Amino acid sequence: MEESFVFQWSVVRSLLSILQWWAFNVTVIIVNKWIFQKLDFKFPLSVSCVHFICSAIGGYVVIKVLKLKPLITVDPEDRWRRIFPMSFVFCINIVLGNVSLRYIPVSFMQTIKSFTPATTVVLQWLVWRKYFDWRIWASLIPIVGGILLTSVTELSFNMFGFCAALFGCLATSTKTILAESLLHGYKFDSINTVYYMAPFATMILALPALLLEGSGILEWLNTHPYPWSALIIIFSSGVLAFCLNFSIFYVIHSTTAVTFNVAGNLKVAVAVLISWLIFRNPISYLNSLGCAVTLVGCTFYGYVRHMLSQQPPIPGTPRTPRTPRSKMELLPLVNDKLEDKV
């Protein structure tokens, strides 16, 4: 009886963790799109900078003030030699995501971001000469096919936004590859990630945002009918972005690796559906089919990676980089879904 109760509570806790993760993730995406489209605040660098500032403050409060998370100590030399380069890629990653969201619908951006597994595998194969089982390559076919179908049939296609989303995938993949080499020996959770990287990212982005968007923001403040209400929404999106980092930490500790992968892909579907209900961007049947094929492909890719990771290696055969065997190994430097972060 007691074991049954413990099992039921474990299931309920996993469901609650996934739902709150979905809620924060979708809310951040929708609010960002609302800022760009409805508030006419077309300054993605500044929005990203606000998110970095809020995340830096939030990380400090959680770790130093409230002490809800222990601080992972990093040597001062490693902060510049390891953390700073990662923060630079992290910054580019987030900025490209917001730039793409500025120009293309949420549904299209989310589908393009699902291309990340393919770019990661290709980069690891090209740069590090890593071996991948043929089933890994086969699992990428529906992802690539779905992306192509979605791109060709996208009714609100914008080349600049498409390129930003695509290069965002490359930035995410580069971040994943760099994390393996630069952060060897450190196991960051999502809270310590923003604690160390958000201040660096703010420092990197503040000047470009000021120079490129400062005059436009002043003009927007003078012409917008309700500037202060709009600014509250903009800064609220930064607070929500930090809360998303906390929700990611919670869901990772409450679910298995397979559940996390499946929930992540279903989350994309939920974000696409809710964004369409709010913004009503035109979506054709073939476009919907392309998005569905991509998400199924991502789920299949995650399943193949997990299945291969459970198999004992054949002597003399190069081993495919495995998926995490435990929940703790899921703790990323930065979660692979750009829109999940800051």
Side-chain angles (χ1 to χ4, degrees):
M1 182 68 180
E2 184 177 347
E3 291 182 357
S4 176
F5 176 78
V6 171
F7 173 76
Q8 290 177 357
W9 169 242
S10 176
V11 172
V12 170
R13 187 179 67 172
S14 296
L15 288 175
L16 289 176
S17 68
I18 291 171
L19 289 175
Q20 58 87 31
W21 176 41
W22 283 6
F24 278 116
N25 182 271
V26 174
T27 302
V28 169
I29 295 171
I30 297 301
V31 170
N32 283 354
K33 186 63 177 178
W34 186 277
I35 289 170
F36 294 132
Q37 186 169 319
K38 300 297 184 180
L39 298 183
D40 202 34
F41 189 84
K42 304 185 184 302
F43 309 105
L45 298 185
S46 299
V47 171
S48 302
C49 203
V50 168
H51 288 188
F52 292 146
I53 293 171
C54 292
S55 294
I57 296 173
Y60 180 86
V61 170
V62 168
I63 292 177
K64 291 291 190 178
V65 179
L66 300 179
K67 300 186 184 301
L68 297 178
K69 277 293 299 175
L71 175 65
I72 297 175
T73 305
V74 177
D75 295 335
E77 181 182 352
D78 282 345
R79 295 190 184 190
W80 289 99
R81 188 166 56 93
R82 296 187 179 190
I83 303 296
F84 183 79
M86 287 300 306
S87 300
F88 184 78
V89 179
F90 169 65
C91 180
I92 293 176
N93 188 14
I94 300 301
V95 168
L96 287 174
N98 282 329
V99 169
S100 66
L101 198 58
R102 157 77 172 81
Y103 289 98
I104 59 177
V106 171
S107 57
F108 190 32
M109 187 270 277
Q110 291 282 282
T111 306
I112 297 298
K113 289 303 298 176
S114 298
F115 193 54
T116 300
T119 56
T120 302
V121 169
V122 171
L123 281 178
Q124 286 182 321
W125 177 66
L126 288 175
V127 178
W128 281 9
R129 300 296 179 184
K130 280 194 172 182
Y131 167 83
F132 288 94
D133 188 276
W134 68 270
R135 285 166 288 187
I136 290 290
W137 293 104
S139 69
L140 297 178
I141 294 175
I143 299 178
V144 176
I147 294 293
L148 289 175
L149 180 59
T150 304
S151 302
V152 171
T153 59
E154 175 58 47
L155 300 177
S156 304
F157 185 86
N158 179 280
M159 181 57 74
F160 187 73
F162 171 76
C163 290
L166 195 59
F167 281 108
C169 292
L170 291 173
T172 303
S173 301
T174 303
K175 173 204 67 188
T176 303
I177 295 172
L178 287 177
E180 293 184 20
S181 57
L182 290 179
L183 295 169
H184 179 72
Y186 292 108
K187 281 193 174 181
F188 284 107
D189 53 59
S190 56
I191 305 302
N192 276 274
T193 293
V194 296
Y195 176 83
Y196 282 109
M197 292 196 179
F200 276 133
T202 304
M203 181 178 65
I204 293 168
L205 190 59
L207 186 58
L210 181 62
L211 294 176
L212 296 175
E213 298 179 347
S215 59
I217 292 176
L218 291 177
E219 182 180 351
W220 176 85
L221 287 171
N222 291 326
T223 57
H224 196 279
Y226 307 104
W228 294 110
S229 299
L231 286 175
I232 291 176
I233 296 176
I234 293 170
F235 278 93
S236 296
S237 72
V239 176
L240 287 170
F242 171 74
C243 292
L244 176 58
N245 287 283
F246 216 95
S247 73
I248 292 170
F249 174 79
Y250 179 52
V251 75
I252 285 174
H253 280 76
S254 303
T255 60
T256 63
V258 175
T259 303
F260 184 78
N261 172 61
V262 174
N265 292 310
L266 289 176
K267 171 182 59 64
V268 175
V270 172
V272 169
L273 176 61
I274 294 179
S275 70
W276 179 79
L277 291 174
I278 294 176
F279 299 105
R280 294 291 179 175
N281 55 288
I283 300 178
S284 66
Y285 289 112
L286 285 177
N287 191 258
S288 301
L289 177 62
C291 181
V293 169
T294 302
L295 295 181
V296 171
C298 288
T299 304
F300 181 60
Y301 166 82
Y303 168 76
V304 170
R305 288 293 295 259
H306 178 74
M307 181 184 65
L308 292 175
S309 73
Q310 307 305 309
Q311 296 179 356
I314 300 175
T317 302
R319 184 168 182 183
T320 300
R322 65 178 176 84
T323 52
R325 292 181 187 269
S326 67
K327 290 180 287 185
M328 286 305 296
E329 290 186 15
L330 264 171
L331 295 178
L333 172 70
V334 179
N335 188 273
D336 284 344
K337 301 282 187 181
L338 161 142
E339 68 281 5
D340 290 349
K341 305 293 289 179
V342 183

